[in-house]
Amino acid sequence: MASDDAAAVGVVGGWASPFVMRVCVALRLKGVAYEFLQEEPGKKSELLLASNPVHKQIPVLLHGGRPVCESLVILQYVDEAFSGARPPILPADPYDRAVHRFWAEYADAKLPMALRTLRGMIDGDKAAAAEQVAAALAQLEEAFTACSKGQRFFAGDDIGFLDIVLGSYVGWFRAAERITGQTVLDEMRMPRLAAWAARFCGHEAVRDVMPDAGRLVEFGEALRAALAANANAQRM
Ligand SMILES: N[C@@H](CCC(=O)N[C@@H](CS)C(=O)NCC(=O)O)C(=O)O
């Protein structure tokens, strides 16, 4: 990527990461063309280490060669830096913005570790993890009812910040359902959220970057095997 081009946009990421998907959806919503810089699973490129030396994690947004890290920070940056003709990603009202940020942080606090446990990526109590995901989704069903006020998405009739944050986990909910054989997004217990998830996945900014559940399951298995092989090699 030409770092001296002030307009060039790149995403350092991996196709299977929910955090990376958020950035791609936001850029697509804004109509911003970007180069996807795929990291090799289980490894960290020089570009990643140089552009996110603190956390060494994906995603990193590169804008004119300057890095922006952490998916929630990136979403807000994209909203401000590409404010042009497309509607804002965050709600206009400061109180609504605070509420949406609250639920986004809630989702990120409750879901990723429990989903990693369900997928077998980390050791832990799978039944407790399933309960934690179910309890969080029940809360988020209520949040959806309160925030959407009968509209199609959290902030109205198009997708916005909270849709992108929570929606990025939908592929992994479906992968976890395949791995455990148990329903995660239960249409009986959370009918509004289940219908919202289907709408989110069908949105034109999401469709092409929402990972397929079967591919995610295969990816998880391959990554687990590669990490185990690495750990064994280090012990030798
Ligand atoms: N809080 C970060 C989380 C990013 C994250 O967990 N990225 C994972 C990929 S899904 C990663 O880079 N893992 C490798 C590592 O932690 O070493 C964000 O929202 O951007």
Side-chain angles (χ1 to χ4, degrees):
M1 222 186 114
S3 60
D4 51 353
D5 178 353
V9 177
V11 178
V12 184
W15 65 269
S17 163
F19 306 103
V20 172
M21 194 197 125
R22 294 172 179 177
V23 178
C24 299
V25 171
L27 291 169
R28 282 160 183 255
L29 272 180
K30 292 286 186 184
V32 175
Y34 61 92
E35 185 180 355
F36 193 81
L37 303 156
Q38 172 73 44
E39 283 288 300
E40 206 176 315
K43 299 198 176 150
K44 294 175 197 287
S45 68
E46 287 303 317
L47 177 63
L48 172 62
L49 295 174
S51 41
N52 189 356
V54 176
H55 294 306
K56 305 177 177 65
Q57 287 185 322
I58 51 172
V60 177
L61 177 83
L62 296 172
H63 187 194
R66 294 193 302 175
V68 185
C69 304
E70 284 292 314
S71 63
L72 299 187
V73 176
I74 298 171
L75 291 186
Q76 296 176 55
Y77 176 80
V78 167
D79 207 17
E80 290 165 9
F82 305 102
S83 54
R86 305 285 176 97
I89 290 173
L90 276 139
D93 178 76
Y95 183 75
D96 290 344
R97 270 208 298 276
V99 170
H100 286 221
R101 285 188 182 122
F102 171 85
W103 286 115
E105 289 189 11
Y106 176 84
D108 276 1
K110 299 291 180 188
L111 296 174
M113 294 310 274
L115 284 171
R116 281 183 187 129
T117 306
L118 285 180
R119 288 160 51 208
M121 299 304 294
I122 51 174
D123 291 335
D125 180 341
K126 285 201 167 60
E131 248 172 56
Q132 176 162 341
V133 172
L137 289 178
Q139 285 280 358
L140 287 158
E141 167 91 359
E142 283 183 30
F144 180 76
T145 307
C147 292
S148 66
K149 302 180 185 75
Q151 299 178 91
R152 290 161 50 79
F153 295 103
F154 274 93
D157 276 326
D158 204 355
I159 65 177
F161 179 72
L162 186 49
D163 300 286
I164 298 172
V165 173
L166 183 58
S168 68
Y169 292 116
V170 172
W172 281 115
F173 293 154
R174 292 178 174 164
E177 286 174 347
R178 290 197 184 197
I179 292 166
T180 63
Q182 284 170 359
T183 310
V184 173
L185 255 182
D186 189 339
E187 281 179 30
M188 303 296 281
R189 290 177 65 196
M190 44 206 89
R192 292 191 178 91
L193 219 47
W196 159 85
R199 281 195 293 278
F200 179 78
C201 292
H203 192 286
E204 58 175 7
V206 175
R207 217 179 285 141
D208 294 338
V209 287
M210 173 60 74
D212 169 72
R215 234 183 123 206
L216 283 177
V217 174
E218 284 169 19
F219 171 83
E221 282 164 5
L223 183 59
R224 221 175 26 238
L227 293 175
N230 264 351
N232 283 339
Q234 275 167 17
R235 262 186 236 119
M236 284 178 189

